[in-house]
Structures are given as C-alpha cells and as structure tokens.
Amino acid sequence: MDIFEQLARKLDELPEGFPATESGVELKILREIFSPDEAEMALMMRPGPETAEDIAERLGKPVVEMGTLLDDMVRKGQIGSLKMDGRQVYRLVPFVVGIYEYQRGDRLTRELAELFEEYLPLLSKKLGGHGPHLTRVVPINTGIKADLQILQHEDVRQIIEKAKSFRVQDCICRREQALLGNRCEYTLKNCLQYSMEEGAYDYFKLDGDIISKEEALIIIDETEKEGLVHNTYNVEEAIGGFICNCCPCCCGLLRCLKEFNAPYILARSRYVATIDLDSCESCGICRDERCPMDAIVEDDGEYRVEGERCIGCGVCVVTCPSESIILVDRPESDRDEMAENMIDWGKRRLEERGRHAG
Ligand code: SF4
Ligand code: SF4
Ligand code: SF4
C-alpha cells in the first residue's frame, strides 16, 4: 500500500470518513494536496491536539525542525492547528470539513476543483448516508414565532457574542465553482471562523482576515439580506468552529441534500416554515427568489411550505412583504438529532459507521 493509500485509509478512520472509490479519485486528490513526505508526516499526526514539542518528542525529532514543518503544513491546509488554553496545538483533520476547506488561495487549483467535483457524488452519499449529521442549519431567528424558546446554539448572533476571536475567508464552494466556470453572484468572502480563545488566529497569517466581533455580526446581517443559509457543526457546545453562509447554487452541503440524496450531511434546524394564507399576497418572492430547497409550492395562487423539504433556515421569512411566513416548532418526533459536543458527536458517528473509537 503506498503512502497515499495509507493516508486515505487513516482519513477514513476518522468519524467523518473518506470513502474509497473504484476510480481512485480520492487518491488523486491527496496527491494534489500532499507531497509523499507531507503525506508521511500527516500519517504520523493524531486527531487529538498536540503541541509541536509533544509531537517532536513522540517522533524523536528536533523541536525547531518539527515546528517549522508543522507550520508549513498548516499553511498548506494539510493539517489543522488551533489555540487551546493559550497554546498552539496541531492535529490531523478530516478531509471535509477540514483539509478541503483549508485549500485557500492558490492551493485550490482548477485540477483540484475538477477532482473534488468528480468525488462529490460518492463522498456525499457515504458521508451523508448515516448519522449523526455532519453540520446543522442555524435559523435566521427574526422569523421564529414570538413565543417560542430560542436556545443559545440556535442563534447565530449568540454564538458570535460568546466567542472571542473571528476570521473571515473566501467560501471554498463558491471559489471552486468559479474555477469551473460557474461563478455565482453571492458575496465570496463571508465564511466565518470563530474561537472561544483570545487571539486565536494571530499565530498564522493565512488567506482571509482577522476581524472583530462587530465585523462578524455585520457579515451575518449581510448574508441574511442576501438569502444565505447559516450552518455550523452539529453540536450544542463547541470551543470554536465555522459559520458557513451557504448559497443554493454552489454549496456542497445544500447540493448534497438536493442532488445526491445524502440526508445526513446537513441537519435541519428545530423549526419549519409556515405561511399564513389569510395575509399572503401571493407575490411569489419566497418561492422564486429565496427558498434554497424548493420547499415552497404554489397551487392556484396559494403558497404553502412542503415541510419535509424545508430545512428551517428562515431565508424566506426575511423578505416576505406581508410578514406571512414564520418559523414554528418542528414536531418533536420529526427533529434531527444534535450531539452535545464534538467528542460525543465523533463517538456516535463512529458507532453508526460500525467503527470503534481509537
Ligand atoms: S459549505 Fe457553504 S459557506 Fe461553507 S464553503 Fe461551502 S458554500 Fe461556502
Ligand atoms: S413572500 Fe410572503 S406574500 Fe409573497 S408569496 Fe411568499 S408568503 Fe406570500
Ligand atoms: S421554506 Fe425554504 S427558505 Fe423557508 S425556512 Fe424552509 S427551507 Fe428555508
């Protein structure tokens, strides 16, 4: 087994998975991203966080040499690094959400975009074929029925309020589609990362910008006006993560739901949209310009929401001229599950995939 096959197998052992294909496209992807030496180093990484000193000691290498190598691999998006309890730590990250999304700037080439596009149908079918869901929709909460409780993790502004550091970078899915000749009109640079640590993004100068909390909140306002769907990790508590703002045309997650029959890629929010027929003016904006899931249908001038297609994003609510759409609670028996934290999520996902936590 060559080094890329070994790395592919190791990535497939992570909770998210990295399925093998008959064509071997996943190996071509790894060859685009890693040199053989880098693949060998990635193979020696652990999914749990370790400092450069810990890794150097474990592998019997000089600390400075190891630090330089790890930093270089982080800049190339081959491994992950984050600040935890004031220390910079490094870890093996999954292919998605992880290595692929880290291919910033020139690292995302047309060749890589084409290979990813070839891999996406099988990748999404396997990753989205079992729970718990990879990511979850965070609803635009201005649309939630007034007397309903909104939990902290269901409110994108509360998630941001709690965090201490923020970064914004280009949306990889929109960049990928642009490279393939399908550039959409939505804003490119609004993929947010947040962390509960102060100065979490100071160590690495990566493509994208470090921004303030106020700037992050402005980006959220703008994405809601544009009709983008917020989503994040499918857990209640996270020490940091991403807030993706997804468009229906390019987003891998939304496309997986609609095109590739991969239900466990994106969990719906706890809500479902409903239209008040008495006040609805039948303008069609919600169906024609807003809903990313084609969940709103029209019958003889009457608009209604197809609950099983609705992901509870609230995108339709924002522009309804007569305020006829609201988000109401989805019946408890029909809700998508959410894990408490990433550890719980990873364990449950490995169980669902018939694997054991290492
Ligand atoms: S998942 Fe959505 S927001 Fe995130 S990179 Fe893809 S389109 Fe952009
Ligand atoms: S946007 Fe509002 S008024 Fe227009 S069709 Fe939809 S629910 Fe009715
Ligand atoms: S009807 Fe469409 S836009 Fe409205 S909440 Fe459901 S999925 Fe989102």
Side-chain angles (χ1 to χ4, degrees), residues 273 290-293 295-296 305 309-316 327:
R290 300 293 285 187
C291 182
M293 292 301 297
I296 299 176
V305 176
R309 289 192 69 83
C310 173
I311 54 174
C313 62
V315 165
C316 54
L327 294 179

Side-chain angles (χ1 to χ4, degrees), residues 260-277:
F260 303 126
N261 187 25
Y264 289 102
I265 289 283
L266 179 66
R268 303 166 299 184
S269 83
R270 211 157 49 89
Y271 307 95
V272 60
T274 179
I275 295 177
D276 172 29
L277 288 180

Side-chain angles (χ1 to χ4, degrees), residues 63 110 173:
V63 175
R110 187 177 164 112
C173 301

Side-chain angles (χ1 to χ4, degrees), residues 19-37:
T21 61
E22 271 177 36
S23 70
V25 63
E26 76 286 3
L27 301 175
K28 290 185 198 155
I29 290 175
L30 293 184
R31 287 192 186 100
E32 281 288 317
I33 297 177
F34 296 86
S35 70
D37 286 351

Side-chain angles (χ1 to χ4, degrees), residues 101 171-174 190-191 231 244-247 250-253:
E101 287 74 11
C171 160
I172 188 93
C173 301
R174 289 196 269 287
N190 56 19
C191 240
N231 71 83
C244 268
N245 298 297
C246 301
C247 57
C250 308
C251 176
L253 304 169

Side-chain angles (χ1 to χ4, degrees), residues 227-356:
L228 298 171
V229 177
H230 306 312
N231 71 83
T232 189
Y233 287 128
N234 186 25
V235 297
E236 288 176 26
E237 277 291 334
I239 57 166
F242 64 89
I243 297 171
C244 268
N245 298 297
C246 301
C247 57
C249 36
C250 308
C251 176
L253 304 169
L254 293 173
R255 287 178 57 212
C256 285
L257 278 190
K258 286 199 292 188
E259 292 173 35
F260 303 126
N261 187 25
Y264 289 102
I265 289 283
L266 179 66
R268 303 166 299 184
S269 83
R270 211 157 49 89
Y271 307 95
V272 60
T274 179
I275 295 177
D276 172 29
L277 288 180
D278 292 337
S279 61
C280 170
E281 296 168 3
S282 299
C283 69
I285 293 173
C286 55
R287 186 194 66 169
D288 302 338
E289 296 174 25
R290 300 293 285 187
C291 182
M293 292 301 297
D294 306 325
I296 299 176
V297 292
E298 183 250 346
D299 264 329
D300 272 346
E302 278 193 356
Y303 285 79
R304 65 181 169 78
V305 176
E306 287 192 335
E308 66 283 4
R309 289 192 69 83
C310 173
I311 54 174
C313 62
V315 165
C316 54
V317 176
V318 184
T319 49
C320 174
S322 53
E323 298 181 8
S324 305
I325 316 180
I326 50 169
L327 294 179
V328 296
D329 266 338
R330 186 174 279 281
E332 201 139 357
S333 57
D334 190 30
R335 285 189 198 157
D336 291 337
E337 265 187 89
M338 190 187 305
E340 210 171 297
N341 53 43
M342 288 308 283
I343 294 173
D344 175 35
W345 179 87
K347 276 191 196 147
R348 280 162 60 182
R349 201 159 152 98
L350 285 172
E351 271 167 31
E352 291 278 338
R353 295 182 59 216
R355 314 221 169 187
H356 300 288

